[in-house]
């Protein structure tokens, strides 16, 4: 516990030194987002409530906290929020289908020993729970790309206010291409870092490559990474188009065509 407090204190001090007031709000937002996730998990155990609806509400609240609370309400955060929610809606529909078809919901055989003492008759739809887990795993990366594109395109527009909508959109997509590779690699290495112990266990148990790839634990995480990558790829043209439309529309309304 002391180690956790020390690490939290070091993080808080560094965020204050680097980010000032925004750094302090970023630190507080970690606990606010944790509260949203905790409440979502509590309500998700109620069979009468749709996990997909809960996930959408949770993503909306996380978006409000991460974008509006940290960066305040302005045109950049509003556009990033709209872009994020559009992408989340598209992903929700896609991921529910993928989860059902790939049958990655529930627990793998490697986890059965740990849950053998508990009842599995909890009355919730594990397909929707699995889809919710994937969405929750992607929301952070999607928001990160959305605000990065919005900020960058705003700077391009400020330095070249007569730029056409098409050129501005192309610039946004070009920025997104640079972000796409780094973010997808971040998700990939986060999986292998978090599941390195499991992979070593697979090696000790003499799992073949085919058994590892087809195990539910491994497959579920790979589907999460791939769906997150799809979300990152989707948000780039969506955020670029919305930003280009809004910025040029604002210029036209002001009469500086």
């Amino acid at each position: 516990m002391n180690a956790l407090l020390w690490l939290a204190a070091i993080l808080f001090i560094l965020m204050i030194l680097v980010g000032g007031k925004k750094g302090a709000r970023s630190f507080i937002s970690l606990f606010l987002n944790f509260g949203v996730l905790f409440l979502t998990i509590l309500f998700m155990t109620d069979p009468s409530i749709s996990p997909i609806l809960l996930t959408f509400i949770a993503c909306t609240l996380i978006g409000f906290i991460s974008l509006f609370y940290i960066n305040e309400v302005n045109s950049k955060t509003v556009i990033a929020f709209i872009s994020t929610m559009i992408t989340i809606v598209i992903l929700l529909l896609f991921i529910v289908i993928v989860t059902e078809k790939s049958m990655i919901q529930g627990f793998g055989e490697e986890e059965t020993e740990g849950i053998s003492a508990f009842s599995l008759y909890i009355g919730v739809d594990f397909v929707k729970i699995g889809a919710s887990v994937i969405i929750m795993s992607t929301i952070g990366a999607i928001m990160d790309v959305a605000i990065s594109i919005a900020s960058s395109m705003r700077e391009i527009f400020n330095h070249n206010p007569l730029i056409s909508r098409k050129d501005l959109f192309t610039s946004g997509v070009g920025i997104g291409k640079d972000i796409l590779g780094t973010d997808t690699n971040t998700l990939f290495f986060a999986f292998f870092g978090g599941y390195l112990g499991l992979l070593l266990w697979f090696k000790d148990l003499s799992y073949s490559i085919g058994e590892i790839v087809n195990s539910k634990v491994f497959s579920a995480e790979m589907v999460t990474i791939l769906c997150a990558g799809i979300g990152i790829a989707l948000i780039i043209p969506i955020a670029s188009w919305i930003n280009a439309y809004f910025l040029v529309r604002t210029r036209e309304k002001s009469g500086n065509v």
Side-chain angles (χ1 to χ4, degrees):
M1 186 63 183
N2 289 333
L4 293 177
L5 291 175
W6 275 107
L7 289 172
I10 293 170
L11 176 62
F12 179 69
I13 292 170
L14 289 174
M15 292 179 81
I16 291 291
L17 291 175
V18 175
K21 291 183 179 179
K22 186 174 289 188
R25 289 197 296 266
S26 299
F27 184 80
I28 295 171
S29 71
L30 294 175
F31 296 94
L32 295 176
N33 285 331
F34 176 78
V36 171
L37 292 175
F38 183 76
L39 289 174
T40 302
I41 293 170
L42 284 180
F43 285 110
M44 208 169 272
T45 56
D46 187 345
S48 63
I49 302 177
S50 170
I52 301 299
L53 178 60
L54 274 177
T55 302
F56 182 77
I57 294 172
C59 288
T60 304
L61 293 175
I62 290 170
F64 267 100
I65 294 168
S66 301
L67 294 172
F68 298 138
Y69 175 69
I70 296 175
N71 300 296
E72 301 179 348
V73 179
N74 52 59
S75 60
K76 291 185 292 186
T77 54
V78 169
I79 293 173
F81 179 77
I82 293 172
S83 304
T84 299
M85 297 318 312
I86 292 174
T87 306
I88 289 296
V89 170
I90 296 172
L91 271 183
L92 271 173
L93 299 174
F94 174 74
I95 289 174
V96 169
I97 297 172
V98 170
T99 305
E100 187 172 359
K101 296 296 182 182
S102 59
M103 300 180 67
I104 59 170
Q105 72 276 7
F107 300 96
E109 60 181 20
E110 295 82 9
E111 301 166 301
T112 53
E113 184 176 348
I115 62 172
S116 58
F118 302 98
S119 173
L120 300 179
Y121 298 99
I122 57 176
V124 297
D125 189 338
F126 269 92
V127 173
K128 294 179 180 178
I129 294 291
S132 299
V133 170
I134 295 174
I135 285 293
M136 288 295 185
S137 302
T138 63
I139 180 68
I142 290 172
M143 284 191 300
D144 179 49
V145 175
I147 193 64
S148 296
I149 291 177
S151 298
S152 302
M153 290 182 70
R154 168 68 69 173
E155 289 299 317
I156 293 172
F157 183 78
N158 288 340
H159 285 85
N160 187 7
L162 298 180
I163 188 172
S164 68
R165 182 177 285 126
K166 181 180 178 181
D167 289 341
L168 189 57
F169 171 77
T170 303
S171 298
V173 173
I175 294 164
K177 289 178 181 178
D178 295 331
I179 301 172
L180 180 62
T182 54
D183 271 31
T184 49
N185 275 289
T186 299
L187 295 168
F188 181 75
F189 288 114
F191 160 70
F192 277 99
Y195 279 82
L196 185 60
L198 178 65
L199 296 174
L200 292 173
W201 188 37
F202 282 159
K203 179 66 173 62
D204 288 339
L205 293 176
S206 300
Y207 272 46
S208 66
I209 296 297
E211 288 172 326
I212 292 174
V213 171
N214 287 289
S215 66
K216 182 173 286 190
V217 175
F218 185 86
S219 297
E221 290 303 317
M222 289 306 298
V223 168
T224 300
I225 293 172
L226 295 173
C227 288
I230 291 171
I232 293 171
L234 279 175
I235 191 69
I236 291 171
I238 291 173
S240 298
W241 186 87
I242 294 175
N243 275 282
Y245 177 83
F246 173 80
L247 292 171
V248 174
R249 182 67 174 171
T250 302
R251 181 186 66 195
E252 291 173 348
K253 283 186 175 181
S254 65
N256 299 322
V257 182

